[in-house]
Amino acid sequence: MKQGRLRVLLGAAPGVGKTYAMLEEGRRLKSAGRDVVIAVVETHGRAATRAMTLGLETIPRRVIEHRGVELTEMDLDAVIARRPATALVDELAHTNAPGGRHEKRWRDVDTLLDAGIDVITTVNIQHIESLNDVVQQITGAPQRETVPDAVLRSADQIEVIDLAPQALRDRLSEGLVYPAARIDAALSNYFRLGNLTALRELALLWLADEVDSALQRYRAEHGIGAKWEARERVVVALTGGREGETLLRRGARIAARSAGGALMAVHVVSQDGLRGPDPGALAEQRALVETLGGSYHQIVGDDIPEALVQFARSANATQLVIGVSRRSRLAALLTGPGIGATVIRESGDIDVHIVNHAAAGGRLALPKARGSLTLRRRILGFVLALAGGPLLTWLLASFRSDDSITSDVLSYQLLTVVVALVGGIWPALFAAVLSGLTLDYFFVDPLYTITVSEPLHLLALCLYVVIAVLVSIVVDQAARRTRAARRSAAESELVASIAGEVLRGDDPLDALVGRTREAFSLDAVRLVVEGRVVASAGETSAGGAEHVDIVPVDDDSVLELRGAPLRSSDRRLLGVIVSQLATALEQADLEERASEVAPLAAADRVRSALLAAVGHDLRRPLAAASAAVSGLRLQGASLSKADRDELLDTAETGLASLASLLTDLLDVSRVQAGALAVRAEDIDVEDVVPGVLDEIDLGPEGVDLDLPADLPAVRADPVLLGRVLVNLLLNALRYSPPGQRVAVAASAFGETVQVRVIDRGPGIDPDRREDVFVPFQRLGDTDNLTGLGLGLALSKGFVEGMDGTLEVEETPGGGTTMVVTLPIASGTETVPDTDADADTVAATDTDADADAISHTDEELR
C-alpha cells in the first residue's frame, strides 16, 4: 500500500493562524476535486476558524468517559474506514484521553499515513522535543506535550505559518485569539514582544536547519561531494587604501545575494603591509562596514596572503574579495605576481574576487624599499644582478661605439645602484664586481680579456664597490626606519581599534581579550583574576600541548596566551594591551565599590525625605488630637454631649492616623534593614481576597473578580499578602474614573501564581514606573492627606520578603495593572485550564492556536 504524505504547518506561537491555514488548504484541495475530510479540528470558539469548517466533511468524534467526564477525541477507526485522500488533523502534539488506540495524536497520524491517507497537521515550535528546554527558558512556561523531532523530520513538507510578533499581539488585543478575560494576562506573560520574537526566530532557524539537513541527505544519496554553499560568508580584505569602499560595497552585494549572508572586513597589520595615503581611510571604511551590517576584524601577520586565507578559513568564508594590486608594473615584474596570485593559489575552495579600482597600479616606477631586507629581497637582488647584467651587456654591445664608453660605465653603475636598492649590500657587492669585470671584458681594450693594465681601471672597480656599499648602507637604514615607522603606525591602528571596541562594547574585558586573540592569531586567551577566569576568547586544543605565555596584568591578575610564541616585536604592543586591561580591571573595581556606596547614598536620601515628610504628615494628626484633648480638659464640664463626642472623635481619628503612620514607618525601616518577619505558609489566594474587600468596604458593585477554582496554592504570609492587596486596591480605587470598576484577577504561569490589580485610570509614564516604589514619593501629588507615600514601597518590600515580585504594567486600553507574582506552594502542580470538552484531563489539549502549554491558557498568562 502506498504510504501517505505528511504536511506540517509549523507556528512560532498560538494564534498565528495554523488551523485557519490548514482549513483554507483543505477547502482549496476540495475545490480542486480532492477528497478531503476534517478528522479533528479545535476552533476554541473562534468564529473565523469555525466558518472555515463549513463545506468540509467532518468525521464525528469518538466520545470517551474518563472519571465521570465525557471527552471527545478523533475517531481514528472511522477516518480509516472512510479512507479519504486527505485528512486534516489539528494539534499534532495532543495527548489522547485514556482508552484510545494510541497515547499520542502523532501516533494516530502515523497510522493514517500507513493506511495511505495524506495528512495535513499543525504544531507549535514549543512542542518540538529538542526545543522543550529552550522554550521554557524563553517563556518561563513548561511544555508538557512534545513531538519527537524524528516525526517532524520525516514529514514530506514543513511550512512555517509566520506572523509578525506585534501583529499577533494586535490580534490578541482585538479578542481574536482569547476571550477578553484572558487578554491582559496573555499579553503580559507568554505573549510578550520579546518572547514572540525569540520564538519566531527559533521556528525560522529550526526550519532552516531542517532544510540544510535535507540538502545534506540529498547530496549523500546522490554521491555529491563538492561543496554547496547555501549561505554566503564574504570576507573583504582592506589595505587602508582608498579602494576599500569599492571592495566593501562589492562584498556587501555578494553577501546580499544569499539569505543569511554575512559580511566581514579584515585588515592585516604588518610591517610590510601596503599603506594608504589617507590615515583616516581605514576608520571611515570601518564605519562603512558597520553601516552595511558587517563586522570589522584586525589581525597581525607578516605573510599577508597566508593571514588572509587563514582568517577566511577560520570564519568559514565562502568568498574572499581583494583589490587589484596598487604596485606598479615594474614592481610586479621585478618582485613577482604579488598578494593576489598567492591568495588565489592558497585559497582552495574559497572563491576569490579580484576587484579593479581607480588606485590600481599602472605607471612605470622603481620599486620602493619595502621595509626590512628579508631573505626574499636579498635573493631577488642576486637574481636581478645575474639577469640584468647579461641583458644590459647585450643592449650596450648592440649600440657600442668608440664614444659610448662613458654611457656604458654609467649604465653599469645604475644597475649596481638598483641592485643595492632591491637586495642590500651583498647583492650590490656582487653586482659591482660582476659589472666591473663585464665592462673590462666587453668594452675596454683589449677586448675579451680580463686585464687591469691601467690603474684607472682598478680605481673604477673600487669606485663601483664603494658606491654599492654606500647605497646599501643608506637602503638598510631607510628600511630599518621605515619598518619602525610602519610598525608604530600598525600598532597605533591596532590600539585604536581595541580602544574603539572597548568604548563601543558593554564589557571592556571581553573586548580586550577577544581582540588580543585576534590580533596575534592565538588559539585562546584567558584573563585570570585571583584564580578565576573572568574573560576568555577561543578554545584550547584537544591535545593541550600548545605554547602558553603567562603575562602579569597586576598583582592579582594574569593573561594566559595559548598558541604560537610571540615575537619580541609583538611584546611592546602586548604591553599596551596589558596596561589597558589593568585600567579596565581597575575601572571594574571602582564600579563595584561605587555600587556598594550607592545603597548608602539611597538610604541617606530616604532619611532626608523621611525628615521632610515627618515635619508635616506627623504634625497634622498630632496637632488635631492635642487640640481636641485640650478642649476637653478646659471646657469639658460646660460642653454639650454632641460637642464632647465630636472632640473625642477628632482625637481618636488623629491618634489612629498617627498610629498608622508610625506603623508604616516601622515597617519600611524593617524592610530596608532586611529584618522583615515573614511567616510563609501554603495558602489559597481566594481565601485572602474576601477579607481584603471587607477591610476596604469594597462590594461586588465596585470590583470584578477572576479567581479560577483550580488556581494552585501559593507560598506566602497571609497577613502581608492582605496588606499588599489592600494598598494596591486603594491606589486603584483612587485613580479609577467614576463608574469604572477595578478588577482582581489571578492566574498560574509556570511555577508561579500572578495576582493582578487592574484599573482604568490615567496610567503611569513608563519612564517613572520604578519611582512609584520609592518611599515618600507621590509622583508629583500635592495632596498631603494621602500619607507619606509608603504604600507601594511597603507592598514591594512585603512581596519580595515572600520571594515574589511586584511590577507595574500598562492595562490594555489604558490604565495601570499591578502584578504580584508569588511562588506556588511546594509540592503543588499547576492544574491546566479546562476547555468545555476536556475538563479534568491530565493528558491535556495542546491547541496550537489556543495554548502553548498542555491545554492550559492559565500558564500562558
Side-chain angles (χ1 to χ4, degrees):
M1 181 181 295
K2 181 181 177 182
Q3 180 79 4
R5 295 176 58 84
L6 176 62
R7 179 177 175 184
V8 178
L9 305 183
L10 177 66
V16 297
K18 298 176 301 302
T19 302
Y20 190 94
M22 179 182 70
L23 294 170
E24 189 174 40
E25 178 64 10
R27 293 167 69 96
R28 186 190 68 79
L29 291 174
K30 182 181 179 181
S31 64
R34 191 170 181 84
D35 184 15
V36 181
V37 302
I38 296 176
V40 61
V41 163
E42 301 291 351
T43 64
H44 294 280
R46 297 169 193 163
T49 305
R50 188 184 303 110
M52 291 298 293
T53 64
L54 301 178
L56 291 174
E57 179 184 350
T58 302
I59 303 296
R61 295 192 182 191
R62 185 165 61 96
V63 179
I64 300 175
E65 184 174 344
H66 178 68
R67 296 178 182 177
V69 178
E70 288 189 352
L71 308 174
T72 61
E73 295 287 359
M74 179 178 69
D75 194 336
L76 179 60
D77 295 330
V79 177
I80 295 176
R82 170 64 174 75
R83 300 194 64 80
T86 302
L88 307 182
V89 181
D90 206 3
E91 300 177 2
L92 184 64
H94 172 76
T95 299
N96 292 325
R101 185 189 299 189
H102 301 121
E103 179 185 359
K104 296 289 188 177
R105 183 169 289 169
W106 59 265
R107 292 194 179 276
D108 293 340
V109 169
D110 282 343
T111 303
L112 293 176
L113 296 174
D114 292 339
I117 300 173
D118 293 347
V119 175
I120 303 177
T121 187
T122 64
V123 71
N124 270 338
I125 192 69
Q126 66 264 22
H127 297 301
I128 298 178
E129 178 66 40
S130 63
L131 301 179
N132 186 276
D133 56 338
V134 178
V135 173
Q136 183 168 353
Q137 291 175 4
I138 293 172
T139 64
Q143 313 299 317
R144 291 186 176 85
E145 296 187 334
T146 58
V147 178
D149 289 54
V151 174
L152 295 179
R153 295 189 189 281
S154 65
D156 299 278
Q157 186 175 349
I158 302 178
E159 302 174 30
V160 171
I161 305 302
D162 191 30
L163 186 64
Q166 188 55 54
L168 178 55
R169 286 174 58 86
D170 292 342
R171 289 190 62 192
L172 194 66
S173 300
E174 294 167 3
L176 301 178
V177 179
Y178 291 133
R182 296 180 175 179
I183 292 176
D184 290 348
L187 285 173
S188 302
N189 287 301
Y190 195 90
F191 289 86
R192 293 174 181 171
L193 188 61
N195 289 1
L196 296 177
T197 302
L199 292 174
R200 185 190 192 196
E201 181 183 22
L202 201 61
L204 295 174
L205 289 176
W206 187 90
L207 184 61
D209 290 340
E210 170 58 22
V211 172
D212 188 60
S213 299
L215 178 62
Q216 296 301 327
R217 289 195 299 270
Y218 176 85
R219 294 177 63 243
E221 292 170 358
H222 292 77
I224 301 172
K227 289 183 66 178
W228 287 7
E229 293 293 345
R231 299 181 185 179
E232 295 290 357
R233 296 180 179 88
V234 182
V235 172
V236 177
L238 298 179
T239 65
R242 59 184 181 275
E243 75 279 2
E245 181 176 343
T246 301
L247 302 184
L248 287 172
R249 297 190 185 280
R250 177 65 62 84
R253 290 195 295 272
I254 295 173
R257 294 172 187 168
S258 171
L263 175 66
M264 292 168 280
V266 59
H267 175 63
V268 180
V269 177
S270 171
Q271 62 267 25
D272 289 332
L274 294 175
R275 298 278 300 157
D278 183 3
L282 205 58
E284 295 175 0
Q285 292 162 18
R286 178 172 187 160
L288 178 60
V289 172
E290 296 175 353
T291 302
L292 295 173
S295 59
Y296 177 85
H297 306 267
Q298 191 156 303
I299 59 177
V300 174
D302 288 330
D303 190 328
I304 294 177
E306 181 183 0
L308 281 176
V309 173
Q310 284 184 353
F311 176 83
R313 293 193 183 282
S314 67
N316 294 321
T318 60
Q319 312 277 344
L320 182 57
V321 179
I322 61 177
V324 172
S325 175
R326 291 190 280 116
R327 301 176 306 151
S328 66
R329 295 191 182 97
L330 181 57
L333 177 65
L334 296 176
T335 62
I339 292 175
T342 307
V343 168
I344 293 174
R345 185 175 61 252
E346 300 294 334
S347 62
D349 55 2
I350 301 175
D351 294 338
V352 179
H353 301 261
I354 299 182
V355 180
N356 201 4
H357 51 84
R363 54 190 176 83
L364 279 172
L366 291 176
K368 297 181 180 179
R370 298 184 58 210
S372 61
L373 298 179
T374 61
L375 177 62
R376 179 183 175 185
R377 287 190 57 179
R378 290 196 293 271
I379 294 175
L380 190 60
F382 281 109
V383 172
L384 181 62
L386 289 172
L391 179 63
L392 180 62
T393 301
W394 176 76
L395 289 173
L396 294 177
S398 300
F399 301 97
R400 182 178 178 277
S401 66
D402 295 338
D403 300 326
S404 64
I405 186 64
T406 302
S407 61
D408 296 340
V409 171
L410 292 176
S411 297
Y412 280 107
Q413 185 174 345
L414 176 62
L415 174 64
T416 302
V417 172
V418 171
V419 171
L421 289 172
V422 174
I425 186 169
W426 298 112
L429 289 175
F430 174 74
V433 174
L434 185 62
S435 297
L437 295 176
T438 303
L439 185 64
D440 183 72
Y441 186 83
F442 286 100
F443 300 99
V444 177
D445 293 327
L447 300 177
Y448 312 119
T449 60
I450 299 177
T451 58
V452 186
S453 58
E454 295 291 336
L456 291 177
H457 296 171
L458 183 61
L459 177 62
L461 181 61
C462 292
L463 287 175
Y464 273 9
V465 173
V466 170
I467 291 172
V469 171
L470 291 176
V471 172
S472 300
I473 291 174
V474 172
V475 169
D476 186 67
Q477 289 179 347
R480 195 178 302 115
R481 290 170 183 170
T482 301
R483 177 180 180 179
R486 287 181 172 173
R487 181 69 183 184
S488 299
E491 290 176 355
S492 299
E493 288 180 4
L494 185 56
V495 171
S497 172
I498 293 174
E501 289 290 332
V502 172
L503 292 175
R504 282 188 294 271
D506 295 331
D507 191 337
L509 296 179
D510 283 339
L512 285 169
V513 168
R515 286 304 183 186
T516 301
R517 171 183 172 271
E518 191 175 83
F520 299 113
S521 301
L522 297 168
D523 295 332
V525 178
R526 300 196 311 171
L527 178 62
V528 182
V529 179
E530 297 179 347
R532 179 172 54 90
V533 178
V534 298
S536 63
E539 298 180 357
T540 58
S541 63
E546 73 268 21
H547 178 78
V548 180
D549 273 339
I550 306 296
V551 181
V553 177
D554 55 29
D555 294 339
D556 301 320
S557 309
V558 295
L559 191 64
E560 295 182 0
L561 309 176
R562 298 177 181 271
L566 295 182
R567 299 181 300 272
S568 58
S569 58
D570 294 329
R571 295 287 175 176
R572 183 162 59 91
L573 177 59
L574 181 61
V576 176
I577 296 176
V578 167
S579 66
Q580 290 201 7
L581 275 172
T583 302
L585 285 172
E586 183 179 0
Q587 180 68 22
D589 183 60
L590 291 175
E591 290 177 356
E592 183 178 355
R593 294 183 182 180
S595 65
E596 294 174 355
V597 174
L600 299 178
D604 286 340
R605 289 194 298 270
V606 169
R607 281 191 287 268
S608 299
L610 172 62
L611 292 175
V614 165
H616 181 277
D617 290 311
L618 292 184
R619 186 184 300 117
R620 181 178 52 79
L622 183 60
S626 298
V629 172
S630 299
L632 287 172
R633 180 185 296 276
L634 295 176
Q635 304 178 17
S638 60
L639 291 174
S640 65
K641 183 178 184 303
D643 292 338
R644 187 182 299 108
D645 291 342
E646 184 177 353
L647 289 174
L648 289 173
D649 288 341
T650 300
E652 184 179 5
T653 301
L655 292 174
S657 177
L658 184 61
S660 176
L661 290 173
L662 291 176
T663 300
D664 284 348
L665 288 172
L666 291 174
D667 284 339
V668 79
S669 65
R670 283 198 295 267
V671 168
Q672 293 186 341
L676 181 66
V678 178
R679 298 178 181 85
E681 58 186 76
D682 296 347
I683 62 172
D684 292 325
V685 174
E686 57 266 29
D687 293 339
V688 178
V689 172
V692 170
L693 299 179
D694 290 341
E695 183 176 344
I696 59 178
D697 295 327
L698 186 60
E701 70 283 353
V703 62
D704 292 326
L705 295 180
D706 181 10
L707 304 176
D710 55 4
L711 191 69
V714 298
R715 187 72 178 171
D717 185 320
V719 176
L720 294 183
L721 180 57
R723 293 195 61 187
V724 169
L725 295 179
V726 166
N727 281 330
L728 298 183
L729 280 168
L730 288 175
N731 268 349
L733 290 170
R734 179 185 176 198
Y735 290 104
S736 291
Q740 289 282 353
R741 297 153 60 96
V742 300
V744 178
S747 61
F749 181 66
E751 300 302 317
T752 63
V753 168
Q754 295 184 337
V755 182
R756 298 171 177 272
V757 178
I758 306 165
D759 69 60
R760 297 291 177 178
I764 300 174
D765 189 333
D767 295 333
R768 302 205 62 189
R769 286 178 182 172
E770 288 303 315
D771 294 344
V772 302
F773 299 118
V774 178
F776 319 113
Q777 296 291 322
R778 300 194 190 102
L779 292 187
D781 287 352
T782 58
D783 177 11
N784 292 320
L785 300 177
T786 58
L788 294 175
L790 297 176
L792 290 179
L794 280 174
S795 298
K796 187 176 181 65
F798 289 163
V799 173
E800 291 176 349
M802 295 183 288
D803 297 326
T805 59
L806 176 59
E807 298 175 325
V808 184
E809 295 180 355
E810 181 181 0
T811 303
T816 301
T817 298
M818 306 299 295
V819 185
V820 178
T821 304
L822 295 170
I824 65 172
S826 56
T828 302
E829 295 185 358
T830 53
V831 180
D833 187 22
T834 57
D835 286 342
D837 58 351
D839 287 329
T840 59
V841 187
T844 53
D845 189 81
T846 61
D847 169 30
D849 282 345
D851 211 315
I853 310 146
S854 304
H855 207 209
T856 166
D857 289 311
E858 298 303 330
E859 291 181 338
L860 291 181
R861 299 186 184 183

